[in-house]
Structure formats: structure tokens, C-alpha cells
Amino acid sequence: MSRECCGDDRPTTATQVDACCGGQESADGHASCGHEGHEESVPWWRDRELLLPMASGMFWVAGLVLDWTGSGSLALIGYALGLLAGAWTFAPGAFRRLFTSRGRSRLGVGLLMTIAAIGAVLLGHVGEAAALAFLFSIAEALEDRAMDRAREGLRSLLSLIPETARVSRPDGEDVIPAAEVRQDDVLVVGAGERVATDGVVVRGRSWLDTSAITGESIPVEAGPGSPVLAGSVNGAGTLRITATSDGRDNSLTQIVRLVEQAHAAKGERARLADRIARPLVPLVLIASVLVMAFGVMTGDPALWTERALVVLVAASPCALAIAVPVTVICAIGSASRFGVVIKSGAAFEQLGTIRAIAFDKTGTLTRNRPRVVAVHTVAEFSRDEVLATAAALEASSAHPLAGAITAAAPDRAVADEVVEHPGQGITGRVGGRSVRLGSPRWIGPASLGEQAQGMASEGMSVVVIEINGHAAGVIGVRDELRPEAAETIAALRRQAIHSVMLTGDNAVTAQTIASEAGIDQVYAEQLPADKARHVQRLASETPTAMIGDGINDAPALASASVGIAMGVTGSAAAVESADVAFTGTDLRLIPAALAHARRGRRIMTSNIGLALAIIVVLFPLALSGVLGLAAVVLVHEVAEVVVIGNGLRAAATVRWPGMKGSASSDGVPRQSHTVEVTE
């Protein structure tokens, strides 16, 4: 675990954030995140923060067993050990914050649990105190471990930076560690190699796979003057790139810092239990002190001191401590059964408040599998002939669009003399005819110019095919919208949830996809930092979720009130940066998950209300001496049973369109489109 790096007892500074992600000082003083500095997560059986709550539970259970068998003295020892093991995880931190923190931040549910445990021990109820310590410590430990795993996932971002880079020197090329690249160095990047840092192309032409940074599957043409981002993959040909940033301070390391900073900001937000505890703690303490002071003034300190302790137990949040964890555990467990993995109780609490959702486009709203959607030909060529001829050439190409064209024409001829022209297209001979295939900038569409323009306006990537020197056809390739996307957006609108789309794609394509999905607000050509800024702005106005699947989405996912990752197709960084992950890709999980969380939050709120009502009722009765310790403890036990029973209702699942139907051969449930998602 990473308590030393990102502890809960003090605010996280920017410097500490960088340290958490393995930050180092670069030559110009910039803190950056390198490959070093990340500790592997220890197994659960070696994790002290998890072992102590587990030990607390085992000692408590042992105490119960010994108590039932009549071994009172041994039971007391078991209870005491369970109390010490559980309290050690939160009591020292609660006292530390009490004396070192400022303002109301020093008060929290940890301090309230500590006070309740002390009061129970003073009145001889060590078993009650041990149970309280175990329940609270195990809930906190599980959530902390989930957050630590999230921080570890950031290492996958940095794996996109190559270990070495080729740099052009006056006396030839030199291979150096990527971290030693400096601004104005000229990088030599061959076909299939990753770019070590941000830069600008000064020589060569090619196409770049920028999906790791922008999330877009359609490649970007690169030539002299084209900007290049760190982590981009050079498709074909050799590029010479002038570095515009150092190897340790580029777009990818900035993504890491953005994610870490967002996680740190989230960690400072008070949970619901803490917001309740902050005013409750001083009230309980003041009341107990006043009761003891009254006893001293009236000349009967023993009676009133005992009564003060009874008041302390009466005001102890036993039911409150159980109210939230039971509901959260039940709700999270049931959500996992229909494909929604919620990583923490805090995430569940936030999920039930969402009023806006920001969608990534590629891989989220769309399938991230470009396919041929339109073909126009001149009179002398048929559609099938044009596709088969184009596919014959593309079968030899590694270009991302080649797969879409070859998939559209499985029955194709064999091409000869194939030559790929980086950044332009491909040439060859098919059936004895000379064929060229490439972008409209390289091959003029001639009489098909109007059709090509229309395809481009609909968000397609246009490929022109030329046969024997004449334009024969134009092929439109596009990443298609998921079939359930429009249904999902409509369901969210009925739930009064506003939808926004954020994408690195061009404005025309983005607007086309958004219109088909029913999304009105679109932000196109967004880099990761841009997405994070938009999400931060939205989250400052209303509780906002972000849903995405790529590394480029990680800062936005971490910046949102709740980050949601498409778990099956999503990158490791996106999944680990998010608070919620989907095990499937059906977008209808979103309104279902939100409805489920809102229902769980209502149950949790009712539990909290009941727990507080009991405290309000017991407090004056204990203060006046109407109820003694035994009666107060009995009421608390009954309240705990009622709260647990109510919390179990959160295990009921909200039905969604994919929950009906049989499983397919690969074990994935077949989708049904007949069930409406409602709250």
C-alpha cells in the first residue's frame, strides 16, 4: 500500500503527487514521471492495512465463540485483541488529525468510531467495541486497497514511451535512453516505432497511429510541419522529428500528472458519513463533558459520570457505522452481477447523484472498428469490382483503414508489384491493370468529386481508387455508432441526465456521430488535457460522470465526479483511473447502473435517517436516566438488525435490456431489446 506516499492524514500537494507517480527532476526543473518509482502492489496476505482488519474480525469471532462456551476470561482477551487490531487502523490517525489538521477537517467518522469504542470499553462492553472496530476497519481497508490499485494502473501509460530513441547527430545516428532526449534534438523514427517525445516532423511522410493519445482509430497523415505526440506509432516510412519537449516532460507524462492530481483532489472530498460525523462529534463530546460537569456541581460525580458514559454510548453511531457499509456492499455486489464493477463506497455514493455524463466517442459510443459504409463508382466499374481491386492492394498494407476495406471484399484477386507510399497511398497491379489507392489529396476523384465531398461531410475517411490512370471509385470508411447508443441517450434524457460528447476526432465526424446518437453538445479535436478541463468544469457545476475506454481518457475519468471505464475493450490505464468499470460494452448499462445507484442511495439515506433518529431519541432518555446502559445497548442492537435488513434491499437489481436471454457460445449474455430501463 502507499500510505507513505499518499496518506489519508494530510493533504496531498503537487510535489507529493509527482512523487507518487515516480516523479523526478528533469534538467530544467520540471518534475516528471518516469518508469521508476512505482512499487508493486503487495499481495493481500502481506498487506498490513488489510491484515489488521482481518485479524480483528478473527479475534472478535473467537471471542464470540468463547463467550458462548462460557469461557468469559478468554473471550475478553479475544475481544480486546480484536479491538486493538481494528482500532489501530483508524484511531491513531483520528487523534493525529485532531491535533494536526485545521478547522472541521480534523473531525470525521474515524474519530466518532474511536469515541464510541472508548465509551463501550469504559462501560464494560468490550465485545461491542471490538465489533465496531472490525466493521469500520475492514470497510476502510478494502476501499483504500482499491484506490492503491488505481494509482498503480498509471504505469501502463508510461509503457507507451519507448525505452530508447534514435537521435541524429552531426557524426551520425546515436541511440540514447528516451529520458535523455532534449528539446530540439532530431529524432529518427522508423516504421512501426513509437515516438519518444512530442515534436514536429521536419523530413519524411507517413501516417501515424495516435489512438493511444487521442483515442481515434483513424490514422493521421504526417509530413513536414506536422505536430507529433509522444507515444504515437509511425506506420510506414522514416520520419525525422524535431523534439519540442524533453523525454521526461511530454504529453504522456502530463497525462499521468493530471490523473494523479485528480485522484488527490477526489481524496479530499468528504464522504457522506464524514459530513454527518463532523457536527455530531463535537456535540457528543460537549454533551458528555457537560453531564460530568453537572455531576461535579451537584455533588454526585459518580452517578453523572456513569450517566455521561451511557450518553456517550447512546450517541454512538453503531447503526450509522453499519448503515452505509451494508447498503454499499449489497448494492455493489448486485451491480457486479449485471456487469458493473463499482470500486469503492465513495464511488457508489457519487454514482447515485450524477446529473450529467460526458462520453468519449471512439470505442465508447462507436465500435472502434472502422468499416466501409459507402462506395461510389464510375459507370464502367461495379461496386464489387472496385472493392475487390482495392482490397487486393490493401491486403499487403499495414494501414489501419486497410482492414476495413479487405473485410468488405473477402473474395479478392492477388496484387503484384505493390509499393506503399508513406503518407499518400499504395500502388500495384491487379489483373494486369495499374492501380493506385490513396487519399483525395494524392489522387483526384475527378467526376466523383461531389460524392467524395459528400462522404467527407458525413464524417467518413475517403479513399480514392484509380485504375489505369482514371478515377474508378471512392470508398467511404467510418467507425459506426453502437446500435444501442441512441436508446441509451434517450433513456438518460428520461432520467433528466444531460449528455455531452468529448472526442479527439475532427468536428465534422464528431457532429455526425453525435447527431445520430441524439447528443446536442459536442467538443471535438480534444487532447487529454482538454477533456479533463471540460469534465472538471462540468463537475464543478453538477455531479458529472465520464465514460471512456482509452489511455487518453484517463485524466478526464479521474477528474469526473465518477469515472466509468468500458472494461472489456478499455485500456488498463482507463480501467484503473475510473471509479466504475463495465465488464461488457452495452451502453445501456449506464442508465441501469445510475438507476441502481440512486435506489441504493435512497436506501442508504433512509438507513442514516433511522440511525440518527435513534440517537436523537436515546440521547434525552439516557441523559435523564430513564434508560440505563442495558436498555440503550438493546435498542442499538435492534436498530442494527433493522438497518441491516433495510440495507439488504439494495441487493435487488435494476433490470436492463441485456439481462434477459440465454448465453451465447462464448459465455456472453445475448442481448434483448425489449425491457425498458427505469428507476
Side-chain angles (χ1 to χ4, degrees), residues 154-205:
L154 295 176
R155 288 178 295 174
S156 61
L157 296 173
L158 299 175
S159 67
L160 295 175
I161 300 177
E163 294 291 335
T164 60
R166 280 192 292 160
V167 179
S168 177
R169 306 292 192 194
D171 55 348
E173 296 179 359
D174 188 16
V175 178
I176 63 173
E180 297 180 6
V181 174
R182 295 291 177 261
Q183 187 174 342
D184 296 328
D185 282 347
V186 177
L187 306 178
V188 182
V189 184
E193 296 179 351
R194 288 191 180 273
V195 181
T197 192
D198 303 332
V200 176
V201 177
V202 292
R203 187 187 305 173
R205 289 191 175 275

Side-chain angles (χ1 to χ4, degrees), residues 212-573:
I213 300 91
T214 65
E216 301 307 317
S217 57
I218 305 299
V220 176
E221 294 185 9
S226 300
V228 180
L229 297 174
S232 301
V233 180
N234 182 23
T238 300
L239 295 176
R240 290 182 179 267
I241 301 169
T242 298
T244 57
S245 62
D246 292 347
R248 291 187 179 272
D249 187 21
N250 52 53
S251 53
L252 282 177
T253 59
Q254 289 169 12
I255 290 176
V256 175
R257 286 197 289 271
L258 285 169
V259 174
E260 285 285 4
Q261 289 164 5
H263 277 310
K266 275 188 177 181
E268 296 173 0
R269 300 174 190 170
R271 293 178 55 184
L272 182 59
D274 280 320
R275 294 198 298 271
I276 295 171
R278 284 174 180 176
L280 189 58
V281 169
L283 288 176
V284 171
L285 291 175
I286 292 171
S288 299
V289 171
L290 289 176
V291 171
M292 287 188 290
F294 181 79
V296 173
M297 293 171 59
T298 58
D300 196 357
L303 172 65
W304 288 97
T305 298
E306 183 179 354
R307 192 167 292 182
L309 293 175
V310 174
V311 167
L312 192 64
V313 174
S316 67
C318 300
L320 182 62
I322 297 174
V324 175
V326 168
T327 307
V328 168
I329 290 170
C330 290
I332 289 177
S334 64
S336 66
R337 290 195 294 271
F338 65 92
V340 178
V341 180
I342 303 172
K343 296 185 178 181
S344 68
F348 175 77
E349 291 179 24
Q350 284 290 325
L351 191 62
T353 68
I354 295 301
R355 283 291 171 258
I357 292 186
F359 286 88
D360 172 51
K361 180 182 75 67
T362 306
T364 303
L365 287 171
T366 66
R367 298 177 180 274
N368 199 20
R369 293 197 299 268
R371 68 183 186 92
V372 174
V373 294
V375 180
H376 294 283
T377 68
V378 296
E380 50 267 38
F381 294 99
S382 68
R383 180 183 186 277
D384 291 344
E385 185 179 5
V386 164
L387 275 178
T389 303
L393 283 184
E394 294 286 28
S396 304
S397 175
H399 197 284
L401 295 184
I405 295 175
T406 55
D411 298 326
R412 55 183 179 270
V414 178
D416 301 314
E417 303 176 17
V418 178
V419 178
E420 194 158 358
H421 302 266
Q424 296 176 316
I426 191 170
T427 61
R429 297 187 68 81
V430 180
R433 298 180 296 186
S434 175
V435 182
R436 283 203 306 164
L437 194 72
S439 70
R441 288 186 294 274
W442 189 45
I443 306 172
S447 62
L448 298 172
E450 186 175 344
Q451 290 88 338
Q453 188 175 359
M455 288 177 171
S457 66
E458 294 176 9
M460 303 180 196
S461 295
V462 181
V463 178
V464 182
I465 181 171
E466 181 186 85
I467 299 177
N468 289 333
H470 300 284
V474 287
I475 302 171
V477 180
R478 190 174 67 188
D479 191 10
E480 289 293 271
L481 190 70
R482 294 184 184 275
E484 76 277 9
E487 179 186 350
T488 298
I489 301 301
L492 291 173
R493 189 175 291 113
R494 289 192 294 273
Q495 295 182 12
I497 295 175
H498 175 61
S499 298
V500 178
M501 189 173 83
L502 304 173
T503 177
D505 209 346
N506 64 80
V508 174
T509 301
Q511 193 59 59
T512 300
I513 294 295
S515 298
E516 293 178 5
I519 298 175
D520 299 325
Q521 194 170 0
V522 181
Y523 298 97
E525 301 176 5
Q526 302 291 295
L527 291 175
D530 301 323
K531 289 184 178 182
R533 280 194 295 270
H534 282 298
V535 170
Q536 286 172 351
R537 177 182 57 80
L538 287 169
S540 67
E541 299 170 355
T542 188
T544 300
M546 168 72 190
I547 179 165
D549 74 321
I551 290 173
N552 63 298
D553 299 319
L557 290 169
S559 301
S561 306
V562 177
I564 304 173
M566 302 291 281
V568 170
T569 58
S571 69

Side-chain angles (χ1 to χ4, degrees), residues 109 112-113 131-132 135-136 139 273 316-326 608 611 640 643:
V109 71
L112 198 58
M113 298 297 114
L132 192 67
L135 289 172
F136 185 69
S316 67
C318 300
L320 182 62
I322 297 174
V324 175
V326 168
I608 290 173
E640 289 172 14
V643 164

Side-chain angles (χ1 to χ4, degrees), residues 65-153:
V65 173
L66 291 169
D67 210 359
W68 290 336
T69 59
S71 302
S73 300
L74 293 176
L76 183 62
I77 295 174
Y79 289 144
L81 292 174
L83 172 61
L84 290 174
W88 190 258
T89 65
F90 62 86
F95 285 121
R96 193 181 305 116
R97 284 192 294 274
L98 185 62
F99 295 106
T100 60
S101 299
R102 298 178 181 177
R104 298 180 68 184
S105 63
R106 69 182 64 187
L107 307 178
V109 71
L111 181 61
L112 198 58
M113 298 297 114
T114 303
I115 294 170
I118 292 173
V121 170
L122 292 175
L123 292 172
H125 291 269
V126 183
E128 290 285 327
L132 192 67
F134 163 63
L135 289 172
F136 185 69
S137 64
I138 192 68
E140 293 295 304
L142 292 174
E143 183 166 335
D144 287 343
R145 186 168 177 86
M147 292 302 297
D148 286 338
R149 288 178 62 86
R151 282 189 284 268
E152 293 168 15

